[in-house]
């Protein structure tokens, strides 16, 4: 065991998980107790509650499927609990993930002599907030004190970039795992690695290759034996599982050899008839069966490239990650379809874990527990701040002399380990502070000795005596991929973070409750829904969590209009936390409830799919009448995917929860797409809104806006013209929102505004939640009006607003939001 820091990274995969460490110099993949680099993400719990994970558990998928669970990463963040009938237990996906992590953590301990307490865990780029939250929870359950999450493509890129020669240009990380596909476009320049963009398909992976082979096998068997073997029939689940396992085995075998034989283990029975399966299969067949899936992945890559205006031929290299990329035909096909060279020499199965370990160093997450990091050195203690990994060749070390034994150092120097460089001697200032510039050897781990001396030039021992800085590629934090805000009772969204916001990020806004909450009433809860999406209307966005203020927990009743200060915070991995302060109660609430992906109930999903069909028919009719080919193309795509969804629903009814989740997601995406088409249909309406907003806002701003606001308005106005020119409804809505905000700011400076707003609110005072208070406010407002006191009028009007009830049906649509 060394006294150097050790950084640990985990790839918590759908199919396989891996651990790697980085010592500042090299990455090493951690072997498990079976001597393997990979630990299958499988957990079995037997009747005596003994937990088995990894390869040993994997063997039980066939023998004891009821008590053996795999692919639970796909259910992370859902409310689904997985049953283990043997020990009569249920476990949530996060708890199972924790068992895998605990096992990997033990492997690190066996090899390095201590259990890591800090680490980086990778998550798919397309993970939503609830899924990330579940991953963090798993880490906590596995005993980690602190973890950071890192998007998998970034981890791969970091690991691949680490050993790559620095040559600028664009490259693509193609990560095809067991169940997810991620394509990421990256750029290196001056040793700085940047993720330009990513795209993917959360439901495309090696597993679909297996199913393609299974379907082929089923067709063969049905034709030969005259049976009705079907994936949708729950009674056939056992046989299908056995065939799937065999399909995966031949697929892997065919990565190495030209032919293989598909033989499911055990005896198969279909509707009382014993069947025997032994099918010869060759590479050509697998290529034919899976060509479409590869095509689909390349389509995603093309979309990503074109979105970032990278010509197909100008891609510098492709980094392959994930098991299926071991298939030679896949590498060839993807390489030639995208016309780029393939980065060789990386292990596609462990690259992600290695990248996560490297990232742990950049994030300064030393895995060692306190007793190992406690210094054994004697001398004056120095507090130091410097990058553990630096892309800059000459970073700075900032420090301060704190306490400790021995004489106080007056001068300091840094000596590089190779003896070829040392810094100038720097004087410690009267507060004990100093700054030293260092010179790094590129792509190396640089050790520096801290040489201190007293006023007479005599050496003085300091603690720590050395520091290490690694020179290499670093990455910038990934920006937020989707806009996040709070759903308001009127179905509007208060945006907290726009898409593209650099992470971490934190913002606070003040809201007002729309109704009173009586202390102690059962079932009365004030809800603050947090939503994700680019839409103006809350119900079109996706609910990602609800912060609840239960009436049973408040110390006093809350009147309608009470202030709630809400703070939303996102960490570097996009994990959300929320905190609500109610100043009148001096109470803080931070339980975010239901940070869950909703369960996939096939009946509910079926109903949604049917509504969608109906919408599709209407839109198709419109498109024909108006002759918009662009719209028809989009509708064709939706129709095609809706058919796929219906297939998935069929499989869901056969007991495939995963297909249900895929259907649920697809439906959400299709909903957004149809919404987009409907917006195209409503384009004239949007144009009209544009004209109205701009006329109104420009009048307000030219009269009451500050020069800065006028300048901003010009920029927004340009952006609006651009969005209108490109017929991009989402961007247009977003920009109109900004124009509206600017307009309002100016408008509120107009004295007659508040007179108008007051009269409007006063006319609705009869329906106020607190009638006597509303009436007294109206009187107060009239007096203010008579005195020409605009300030007071504004205060009164704002208080009146808070007493006006929110429309019940709108509120229900807006996830029952209790705030405005
Ligand atoms: P995940 O990231 O989902 O954990 P992996 O990267 O470990 O997934 O990939 C698992 C998938 O890779 C499985 O579908 C497995 O069948 C497939 N796989 C593993 N090795 C090979 C191989 N040599 N050839 C083809 N597919 C492979
Ligand atoms: Mg993976």
């Amino acid at each position: 065991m060394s006294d150097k820091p050790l950084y640990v990274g985990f790839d918590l995969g759908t199919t396989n998980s891996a651990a790697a460490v980085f010592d500042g110099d090299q990455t090493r993949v951690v072997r498990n107790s079976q001597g393997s680099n990979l630990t299958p993400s499988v957990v079995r719990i037997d009747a005596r509650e003994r937990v088995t994970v990894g390869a040993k558990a994997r063997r039980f998928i066939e023998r004891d499927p009821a008590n053996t669970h795999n692919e639970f990463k796909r259910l992370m963040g859902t409310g689904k609990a997985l049953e283990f009938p043997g020990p009569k237990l249920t476990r949530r996906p996060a708890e199972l993930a924790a068992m895998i992590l605990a096992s990997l953590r033990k492997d690190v301990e066996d090899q390095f002599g201590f259990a890591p307490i800090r680490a980086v865990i990778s998550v798919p780029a397309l993970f939503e907030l609830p899924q990330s939250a579940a991953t963090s929870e798993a880490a906590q359950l596995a005993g980690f004190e602190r973890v950071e999450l890192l998007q998998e493509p970034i981890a791969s890129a970091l690991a691949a970039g680490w050993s790559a020669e620095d040559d600028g240009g664009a490259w693509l990380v193609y990560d095809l795992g067991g169940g997810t596909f991620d394509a990421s476009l990256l750029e290196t320049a001056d040793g700085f690695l940047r993720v330009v963009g990513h795209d993917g398909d959360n439901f495309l992976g090696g597993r679909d290759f297996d199913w393609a082979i299974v379907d082929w096998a089923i067709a063969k068997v049905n034709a030969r034996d005259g049976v009705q073997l079907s994936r949708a029939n729950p009674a056939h689940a056992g046989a299908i599982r056995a065939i799937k396992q065999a399909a995966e085995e031949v697929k892997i075998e065919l990565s190495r050899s030209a032919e293989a034989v598909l033989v499911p283990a055990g005896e198969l029975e279909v509707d009382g008839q014993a069947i025997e399966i032994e099918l010869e299969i060759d590479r050509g067949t697998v290529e034919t069966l899976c060509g479409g899936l590869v095509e689909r992945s390349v389509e995603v890559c093309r979309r990503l490239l074109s979105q970032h205006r990278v010509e197909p031929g100008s891609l510098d290299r492709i980094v392959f990650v994930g098991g299926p990329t071991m298939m030679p035909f896949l590498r060839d096909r993807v390489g030639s379809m995208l016309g780029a060279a393939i980065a060789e020499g990386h292990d596609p199965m462990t690259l992600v874990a290695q990248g996560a370990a490297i990232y742990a160093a950049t994030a300064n997450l030393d895995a060692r527990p306190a007793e190992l990091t406690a210094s054994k050195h004697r001398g004056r203690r120095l507090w130091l701040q410097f990058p553990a990994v630096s892309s800059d060749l000459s970073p700075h070390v900032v420090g301060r002399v704190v306490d400790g034994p021995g004489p106080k150092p007056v001068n300091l120097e840094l000596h590089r380990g190779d003896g070829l460089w040392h810094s100038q001697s720097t004087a410690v200032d009267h507060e004990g502070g100093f700054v030293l510039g260092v010179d790094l050897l590129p792509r190396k781990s640089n050790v520096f000795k801290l040489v201190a001396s007293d006023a007479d030039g005599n050496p003085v021992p300091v603690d720590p005596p050395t520091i290490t800085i690694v020179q290499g590629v670093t990455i910038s934090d990934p920006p937020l991929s989707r806009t996040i805000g709070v759903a308001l009772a009127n179905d509007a969204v208060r945006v907290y973070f726009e898409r593209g916001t650099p992470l971490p990020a934190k913002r606070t806004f003040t809201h007002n409750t729309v109704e009173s909450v009586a202390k102690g009433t059962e079932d009365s809860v004030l809800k603050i829904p947090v939503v994700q999406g680019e839409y103006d209307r809350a119900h079109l966005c996706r609910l990602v969590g609800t912060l609840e203020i239960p009436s049973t927990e408040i110390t006093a009743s809350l009147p309608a209009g009470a202030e709630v200060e809400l703070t939303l915070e996102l960490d570097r991995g996009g994990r959300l936390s929320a905190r609500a302060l109610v100043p009148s109660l001096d109470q803080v609430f931070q339980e975010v409830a239901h940070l869950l992906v909703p369960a996939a109930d096939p009946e509910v999903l079926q109903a949604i799919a049917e509504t969608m069909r109906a919408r599709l028919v209407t839109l198709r009719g419109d498109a024909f009448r108006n002759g918009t080919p662009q719209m028809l193309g989009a509708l064709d795509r939706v129709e095609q995917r809706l058919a796929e969804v219906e297939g998935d629903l069929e499989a869901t009814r056969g007991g495939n929860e995963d297909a249900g989740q895929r259907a649920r997601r697809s439906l959400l995406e299709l909903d957004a797409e149809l919404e987009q088409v409907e917006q195209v249909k409503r384009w004239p309406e949007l144009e009209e809104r544009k004209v109205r907003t701009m006329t109104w806002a420009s009048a307000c701003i030219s009269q009451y806006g500050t020069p800065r606001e006028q300048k901003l308005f010009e920029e927004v106005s340009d952006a609006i013209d651009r969005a209108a020119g490109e017929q991009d409804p989402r961007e247009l809505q977003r920009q109109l929102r900004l124009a509206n905000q600017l307009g309002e700011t100016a408008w509120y400076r107009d004295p007659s505004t508040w007179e108008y707003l007051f009269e409007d609110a006063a006319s609705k005072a009869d329906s106020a939640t607190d009638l006597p208070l509303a009436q007294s406010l109206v009187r107060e407002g009239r007096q203010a009006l008579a005195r020409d006191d605009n300030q007071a009028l504004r205060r009164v009007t704002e208080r009146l607003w808070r007493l006006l009830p929110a429309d019940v049906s709108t509120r229900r649509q807006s996830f029952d939001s209790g705030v405005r």
Side-chain angles (χ1 to χ4, degrees), residues 446-663:
N446 296 259
V447 180
F448 295 92
K449 189 165 187 255
L450 280 146
V451 180
S453 52
D454 65 12
D456 303 326
N458 299 318
V460 173
V462 287
D463 172 25
T466 61
I467 58 168
T468 307
I469 303 179
V470 180
Q471 203 285 327
V473 181
T474 56
I475 54 160
S476 53
D477 292 332
L480 187 62
S481 57
R482 298 182 188 97
T483 301
I484 287 185
V486 165
L488 306 181
N490 64 356
D491 198 28
V493 179
R494 164 65 65 79
V495 172
Y496 273 64
F497 313 104
E498 290 278 0
R499 179 165 59 176
T501 304
L503 298 182
K506 182 176 175 177
R507 272 192 101 169
T508 302
F509 282 113
T510 301
H511 297 271
N512 295 102
T513 57
V514 295
E515 65 181 6
S516 56
V517 185
K519 171 176 151 52
T521 336
E522 280 301 321
D523 296 338
S524 164
V525 178
L526 178 72
K527 290 187 179 167
I528 308 178
V530 181
V531 295
Q532 200 174 44
E534 272 67 53
Y535 299 101
D536 267 356
R537 281 181 292 156
H539 76 275
L540 295 175
C541 297
R542 188 173 310 185
L543 179 70
V544 291
T546 304
L547 189 118
E548 298 193 338
I549 302 186
S551 59
T552 44
E553 277 173 37
I554 50 179
T555 52
S557 294
L558 272 181
E563 282 189 357
V564 179
E565 263 177 46
L566 183 69
T567 303
L568 295 187
E569 198 170 352
L570 290 165
D571 73 5
R572 303 168 91 169
R575 241 175 320 169
L576 172 80
S577 54
R579 186 174 175 278
L581 167 72
V582 184
S584 63
L585 304 177
D586 198 22
Q587 266 187 294
V588 169
F589 300 85
Q590 37 199 6
E591 269 315 298
V592 176
H594 316 306
L595 208 62
L596 295 178
V597 181
D601 175 346
E603 299 321 309
V604 175
L605 294 175
Q606 183 64 42
I608 299 176
E610 277 160 21
T611 323
M612 208 164 275
R613 274 237 171 263
R615 255 166 97 189
L616 199 61
V617 171
T618 320
L619 285 170
R620 206 178 264 292
D622 290 341
F624 271 124
R625 268 193 300 282
N626 307 333
T628 30
Q630 194 193 352
M631 228 167 114
L632 281 173
L635 292 175
D636 280 345
R637 279 195 302 277
V638 173
E639 170 122 52
Q640 214 170 22
R641 289 203 44 205
L642 196 55
E644 280 169 32
V645 168
E646 279 155 353
D648 279 334
L649 287 177
E650 180 77 32
T652 314
R653 277 188 285 270
N656 186 340
E657 163 77 16
D658 182 34
Q661 283 297 335
R662 170 163 57 191

Side-chain angles (χ1 to χ4, degrees), residues 113-377:
F114 67 89
I117 58 162
R118 290 178 209 91
V120 168
I121 301 174
S122 59
V123 291
L126 296 180
F127 248 26
E128 296 170 50
L129 296 177
Q131 296 162 301
S132 297
T135 307
S136 302
E137 188 202 339
Q140 201 188 358
L141 291 173
F144 288 94
E145 278 173 22
R146 213 181 129 207
V147 294
E148 279 203 26
L149 304 183
L150 177 68
Q151 295 178 330
E152 283 162 13
I154 297 176
S156 332
L158 199 50
W162 192 252
S163 53
E165 290 307 314
D166 192 27
D167 59 355
W171 33 296
L172 182 84
V173 175
Y174 177 105
D175 180 351
L176 189 58
T180 51
F181 174 60
D182 277 303
S184 311
L185 186 62
L186 302 129
E187 203 178 65
T188 60
D190 309 322
F192 193 77
L193 180 67
R194 200 168 72 92
V195 178
V196 181
H198 61 242
D199 203 336
D201 185 336
N202 223 358
F203 288 95
L204 175 64
R207 174 177 197 286
D208 299 297
F209 289 55
D210 304 340
W211 283 121
I213 298 171
V214 171
D215 287 339
W216 167 86
I218 290 175
K220 286 233 151 190
V221 171
N222 283 353
R224 188 193 65 191
D225 298 352
V227 284
Q228 289 288 316
L229 189 56
S230 160
R231 273 167 68 182
N233 187 342
H236 299 168
I240 298 289
R241 247 197 324 270
I243 300 173
K244 170 148 184 310
Q245 184 113 347
E248 182 175 5
E249 282 161 17
V250 291
K251 175 191 71 177
I252 293 175
E253 205 179 326
L254 288 172
S255 281
R256 270 172 292 133
S257 47
E259 282 148 27
V261 185
L262 186 152
V263 196
E267 266 145 43
L268 302 191
E269 218 192 74
V270 176
D271 303 331
Q273 183 182 338
I275 54 164
E276 207 170 299
I277 299 181
E278 202 175 311
L279 300 167
E280 279 175 25
I281 183 165
D282 60 14
R283 273 190 179 176
T285 310
V286 170
E287 287 187 34
T288 315
L289 292 174
C290 303
L293 294 166
V294 177
E295 203 97 7
R296 227 171 101 192
S297 71
V298 170
E299 228 10 82
V300 172
C301 299
R302 290 207 177 109
R303 192 167 72 200
L304 175 67
L305 295 182
S306 86
Q307 197 188 344
H308 295 281
R309 302 193 166 73
V310 175
E311 296 294 319
S314 64
L315 198 60
D316 279 312
R317 74 181 97 180
I318 305 176
V319 179
F320 281 116
V321 181
T325 68
M326 307 271 269
M327 300 168 88
F329 98 93
L330 182 145
R331 296 172 84 92
D332 291 348
R333 231 186 243 193
V334 174
S336 70
M337 287 208 270
L338 295 173
I342 295 162
E344 304 287 354
H346 304 298
D347 174 15
M349 307 295 281
T350 58
L351 200 64
V352 172
Q354 296 182 52
I358 294 169
Y359 184 75
T362 47
N364 241 324
L365 289 174
D366 187 351
R368 296 173 305 164
E371 60 269 24
L372 293 181
T373 53
S375 176
K376 289 165 229 72
H377 304 286

Side-chain angles (χ1 to χ4, degrees), residues 747-812:
W747 189 53
Y748 286 153
R749 294 204 191 96
D750 177 352
S752 66
T753 296
W754 290 100
E755 195 180 324
Y756 163 77
L757 291 174
F758 169 72
E759 290 299 351
D760 180 60
S763 72
K764 295 178 190 143
D766 283 352
S767 60
T769 44
D770 182 341
L771 192 58
L773 179 60
Q775 284 166 342
S776 105
L777 283 171
V778 170
R779 279 193 297 278
E780 221 179 287
R782 298 242 181 277
Q783 287 159 9
L785 207 54
R787 307 197 291 278
D788 252 353
D789 184 346
N790 209 44
Q791 290 287 329
L793 189 63
R794 176 175 183 160
R795 273 197 304 274
V796 166
T797 311
E798 283 174 345
R799 285 181 66 195
L800 254 178
W801 280 345
R802 287 175 211 158
L803 298 180
L804 298 181
D807 174 46
V808 177
S809 66
T810 314
R811 213 180 130 186
R812 191 164 307 137

Side-chain angles (χ1 to χ4, degrees), residues 346-428:
H346 304 298
D347 174 15
M349 307 295 281
T350 58
L351 200 64
V352 172
Q354 296 182 52
I358 294 169
Y359 184 75
T362 47
N364 241 324
L365 289 174
D366 187 351
R368 296 173 305 164
E371 60 269 24
L372 293 181
T373 53
S375 176
K376 289 165 229 72
H377 304 286
R378 297 187 54 78
R380 275 286 176 147
R381 266 215 295 282
L382 305 177
W383 170 87
L384 297 167
Q385 207 177 20
F386 59 90
V389 179
S390 167
S391 53
D392 187 353
L393 280 166
S394 39
H396 287 90
V397 175
V398 180
R400 186 182 294 281
V401 178
V402 263
D403 48 6
K408 206 174 164 193
V410 172
N411 285 300
L412 274 167
E413 275 175 40
L414 281 172
H415 292 215
R416 198 169 67 198
D418 65 348
L420 296 175
W421 178 90
H422 64 84
S423 73
Q424 287 181 325
S425 177
T426 301
V428 174

